[in-house]
Amino acid sequence: GQQLNQSPQSMFIQEGEDVSMNCTSSSIFNTWLWYKQDPGEGPVLLIALYKAGELTSNGRLTAQFGITRKDSFLNISASIPSDVGIYFCAGQETSGSRLTFGEGTQLTVNP
Amino acid sequence: GAVVSQHPSWVICKSGTSVKIECRSLDFQATTMFWYRQFPKQSLMLMATSNEGSKATYEQGVEKDKFLINHASLTLSTLTVTSAHPEDSSFYICSAPAGGGPFYGYTFGSGTRLTVV
């Protein structure tokens, strides 16, 4: 089956620093999604990407859909303490199909 | 925006009993909903796809007789964990295509923490 490799698994940074995480896939996806999950909560959609090469921003977050359709990255600029959480990438082969999730990146921001 | 409401947020039950978890799309209709299970420090694992008006589709290794799914209306899907055992303790999360269509990402419920004692 499909596999999504997400890295890094965890990050410890100082407030104000920029963060980058990425996902690579063994197969092509037509949609890439980035979610954030706080403890005891469901994931919340941050950014959705629907086109190869697409670069999309949401406030301090920027994500790109790789040209090969097999990768995506998420950048967070000027991190703040509330950015703490687990970030998941997710890929979707075709519209309406299931999501395949990466293993998550645990982000810790030290004030 | 699209909201998925999940209830209860947590439940403790005795071994051998059954527990029902509800997932509702509040401001949109969802012909499809997804049920996930998440163990501590792990990613989300898809258990089954719930289809309105028809049988659910289960992932390999998920016991359909143990995890009963009913999608009786366009806004409600339920997951019933039957004859629960301690190993069923986990975080269960439902999801639906936001806005009812596939182009807005998938919206997740807030999850249900199940503890079987």
Side-chain angles (χ1 to χ4, degrees), chain A residues 37 86 88 102-103, chain B residues 38-45:
Chain A
Q37 185 178 29
I86 303 177
F88 290 100
E103 297 193 351
Chain B
Q38 185 180 33
F39 292 107
K41 298 189 183 299
Q42 294 189 19
S43 187
L44 286 75
M45 296 298 296

Side-chain angles (χ1 to χ4, degrees), chain A residues 3 5 13 19 23 26 32 34 39 43 47-48 56 63 66-67 71 78-79 83 91 95 100-104 107:
Chain A
Q3 292 185 331
N5 295 311
I13 62 171
V19 170
C23 278
S26 58
W32 281 95
W34 284 93
I47 292 180
T56 297
I67 293 176
D71 63 299
S79 59
D83 290 334
S95 61
T100 300
F101 280 86
E103 297 193 351
L107 177 63

Side-chain angles (χ1 to χ4, degrees), chain B residues 2-115:
Chain B
V3 177
V4 172
S5 175
Q6 189 170 342
H7 178 81
S9 56
W10 62 270
V11 57
I12 302 173
C13 70
K14 292 184 178 180
S15 265
T17 62
S18 296
V19 172
K20 180 185 284 188
I21 302 170
E22 292 188 349
C23 182
R24 293 180 185 273
S25 55
L26 294 187
D27 48 1
F28 66 99
Q29 294 181 332
T31 56
T32 301
M33 289 187 178
F34 301 90
W35 286 96
Y36 295 84
R37 180 166 53 182
Q38 185 180 33
F39 292 107
K41 298 189 183 299
Q42 294 189 19
S43 187
L44 286 75
M45 296 298 296
L46 181 65
M47 298 175 64
T49 302
S50 172
N51 304 298
E52 188 268 336
S54 64
K55 292 183 179 180
T57 305
Y58 289 82
E59 295 300 299
Q60 190 172 7
V62 177
E63 300 175 59
K64 58 183 66 178
D65 293 331
K66 180 169 185 62
F67 298 99
L68 300 180
I69 290 174
N70 184 279
H71 195 150
S73 77
L74 288 171
T75 59
L76 175 63
S77 176
T78 61
L79 168 68
T80 301
V81 182
T82 64
S83 187
H85 291 286
E87 57 264 31
D88 298 324
S89 298
S90 188
F91 193 54
Y92 293 86
I93 316 172
C94 65
S95 170
F103 296 107
Y104 301 93
Y106 284 62
T107 298
F108 285 81
S110 55
T112 298
R113 172 73 60 193
L114 171 63
T115 302

Side-chain angles (χ1 to χ4, degrees), chain A residues 8-85:
Chain A
Q9 288 186 344
S10 61
M11 301 184 73
F12 297 84
I13 62 171
Q14 293 296 126
E15 184 176 359
E17 290 183 352
D18 296 343
V19 170
S20 184
M21 58 193 78
N22 69 85
C23 278
T24 58
S25 169
S26 58
S27 56
I28 289 173
F29 287 116
N30 283 321
T31 302
W32 281 95
L33 305 168
W34 284 93
Y35 288 89
K36 182 191 178 200
Q37 185 178 29
D38 291 327
E41 298 288 333
V44 174
L45 182 65
L46 299 174
I47 292 180
L49 302 160
Y50 303 108
K51 189 176 178 181
E54 180 181 357
L55 183 71
T56 297
S57 293
N58 178 8
R60 293 179 294 107
L61 278 61
T62 301
Q64 183 158 33
F65 191 145
I67 293 176
T68 65
R69 296 187 175 181
K70 292 184 177 182
D71 63 299
S72 177
F73 72 74
L74 174 70
N75 286 343
I76 304 173
S77 62
S79 59
I80 58 179
S82 61
D83 290 334
V84 166

